């Protein structure tokens, strides 16, 4: 750690990092953070190594794409099942019946909008 601190004199002390003394609105902290986030490292030329490795990788097959699509649909169904399992539908339905029929349409509209959003997310992920 001593060598690191000698090479990087702009590091914050352990007491500041582990204590409650860090003020993220502090201008000194902002300057320190901006210095840490600057990438001044020289570019290392790999002579096209990454491109060659990527070209040698096998192309994805239709079967793998279908498997991924099925996995996405299964994840959406599982997430929906967890929500349905945890959601107090009995209480909701009794409250809706007591209020009016218009709440039924709002709940149905919300459920359809959620399904449409999830389906749209799956379709967007496939492209």
């Amino acid at each position: 750690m001593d060598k690191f601190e000698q090479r990087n004199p702009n590091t914050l002390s352990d007491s500041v990092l582990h204590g409650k003394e860090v003020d993220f609105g502090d201008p000194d902290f902002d300057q320190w953070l901006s210095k840490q986030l600057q990438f001044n490292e020289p570019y290392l030329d790999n002579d096209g190594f990454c491109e060659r490795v990527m070209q040698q990788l096998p192309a994805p097959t239709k079967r793998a794409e279908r498997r991924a699509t099925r996995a996405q649909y299964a994840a959406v169904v599982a997430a929906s099942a967890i929500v349905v399992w945890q959601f107090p539908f009995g209480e909701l339905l009794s409250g809706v019946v007591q209020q009016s029929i218009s709440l039924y349409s709002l709940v149905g509209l919300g459920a359809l909008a959620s399904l449409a959003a999830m389906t749209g997310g799956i379709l967007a992920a496939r492209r």
Side-chain angles (χ1 to χ4, degrees), residues 46-90:
N46 62 11
D47 197 29
F49 174 77
C50 293
E51 289 81 12
R52 288 192 306 270
V53 168
M54 292 302 291
Q55 288 175 354
Q56 291 176 359
L57 291 175
T61 62
K62 292 285 185 185
R63 183 177 180 188
E65 289 178 9
R66 285 193 306 264
R67 187 180 317 130
T69 302
R70 281 187 292 231
Q72 289 172 345
Y73 282 120
V76 168
V77 169
S80 300
I82 291 171
V83 168
V84 168
W85 174 52
Q86 292 294 317
F87 197 78
F89 278 110

Side-chain angles (χ1 to χ4, degrees), residues 91-105 107:
E91 295 173 19
L92 176 73
L93 290 177
S94 65
V96 168
V97 169
Q98 291 174 359
Q99 296 298 321
S100 73
I101 195 68
S102 65
L103 288 179
Y104 272 124
S105 61
V107 170

Side-chain angles (χ1 to χ4, degrees), residues 6-55:
Q6 289 172 356
R7 288 185 302 186
N8 297 309
N10 296 324
T11 59
L12 291 175
S13 67
D14 286 342
S15 64
V16 172
L17 287 175
H18 296 295
K20 295 182 179 179
E21 300 174 23
V22 175
D23 180 15
F24 295 112
D26 183 22
D28 293 333
F29 179 77
D30 291 339
Q31 290 174 356
W32 174 83
L33 186 60
S34 65
K35 285 181 183 178
Q36 298 302 314
L37 294 177
Q38 290 178 356
F39 298 106
N40 294 329
E41 298 293 323
Y43 175 74
L44 295 175
D45 186 24
N46 62 11
D47 197 29
F49 174 77
C50 293
E51 289 81 12
R52 288 192 306 270
V53 168
M54 292 302 291
Q55 288 175 354

